[in-house]
């Protein structure tokens, strides 16, 4: 029986509750900034459950080990197919985009790009697990239509930013914001190698060095805003930069966090709902991030 996307994500966290506890004493300080290569617990490995109510069983972790003899494109496609089977991906468009943007181009050498876990990318930063990226793309799909504008706060490796670019197309605009210059440089190189590379050249996709808490007002308003770190409250600047009719997905909280879906109605009123419990590191300044222990 296909489980709902929300239930699938909940099962991931329930199965790896010890991972949450192990990281609560961590002191990372910015967008997906863990202390080590251990997975931070906004992104843990997905598991399936049978219709008989049996305990969740390992699925995704074992899946990758059977693919080492396959080519990168085959592994990436198998990763997406697993997310579809677990009900995290329901949209055909999201599946197509994640198959087209090879995650292997965005993970540092030596990493396991098709393993459903976040991975360190340097500077106390990580790339999120595939199921978290898929969940956010599903939530934002209607606001990533051709010609729309999207803002990715904490763009990191550029993976999700590249996915956004394919969805809005060259007639749209996508902005990635990251406050570590080295990550901006490396993510730009990653994107150049991907199917979204031409959109860097034509100017419909750009990565900028900036404090994500302030957004990127130059191209506001945005139909879609994604934030990859937990703020104590939703930054007012990001609400202001959200277009009427637009949607933002942002983790909010300190010790206990919720992935919130923020919708701005056409009359400018804002509604907020909780999608699922998550464990992200704080949205903070560049200096605080680099000085974390």
């Amino acid at each position: 029986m296909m489980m709902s996307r929300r239930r699938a994500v909940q099962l991931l966290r329930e199965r790896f509750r010890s991972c949450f506890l192990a990281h609560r004493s961590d002191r990372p300080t910015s967008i997906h900034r863990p202390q080590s290569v251990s997975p931070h617990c906004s992104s843990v490995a997905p598991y399936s459950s049978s219709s008989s109510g049996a305990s969740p069983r390992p699925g995704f972790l074992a899946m990758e080990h059977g693919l080492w003899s396959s080519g990168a494109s085959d592994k990436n496609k198998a990763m997406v197919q697993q997310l579809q089977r677990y009900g995290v991906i329901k949209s055909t468009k999201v599946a197509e985009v994640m198959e087209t943007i090879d995650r292997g181009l965005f993970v540092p050498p030596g990493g396991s790009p098709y393993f459903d876990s976040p991975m360190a990318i340097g500077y106390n930063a990580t790339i999120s697990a595939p199921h978290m990226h898929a969940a956010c793309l599903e939530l934002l799909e209607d606001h990533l239509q051709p010609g729309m504008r999207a803002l990715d706060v904490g763009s990191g490796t550029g993976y999700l930013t590249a996915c956004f670019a394919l969805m809005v197309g060259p007639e749209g605009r996508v902005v990635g914001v990251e406050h570590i210059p080295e990550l901006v440089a490396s993510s730009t190189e990653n994107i150049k190698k991907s199917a979204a590379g031409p959109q860097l050249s034509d100017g419909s996709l750009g990565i900028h060095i900036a404090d994500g808490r302030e957004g990127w007002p130059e191209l506001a308003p945005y139909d879609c805003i994604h934030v990859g770190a937990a703020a104590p409250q939703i930054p007012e600047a990001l609400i202001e930069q959200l277009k009427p009719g637009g949607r933002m997905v942002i983790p909010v909280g300190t010790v206990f966090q919720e992935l919130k879906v923020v919708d701005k109605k056409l009359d400018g009123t804002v509604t907020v709902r909780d999608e699922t419990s998550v464990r992200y590191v704080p949205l903070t300044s560049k200096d605080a991030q680099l000085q974390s222990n």
Side-chain angles (χ1 to χ4, degrees), residues 106-108 121 126-127 155-160 183 186-188 190-191:
F106 296 84
V107 171
I121 59 173
T126 70
I127 179 173
S155 49
T157 66
Y159 172 76
L160 198 58
L183 289 179
S186 63
S187 65
T188 299
N190 295 340
I191 294 170

Side-chain angles (χ1 to χ4, degrees), residues 239-258:
I239 294 176
E240 291 175 358
Q241 291 174 37
L242 188 63
K243 183 179 180 179
R247 169 172 287 186
M248 171 165 51
V249 172
I250 177 173
V252 177
T254 52
V255 176
F256 301 103
Q257 302 166 2
E258 294 289 332

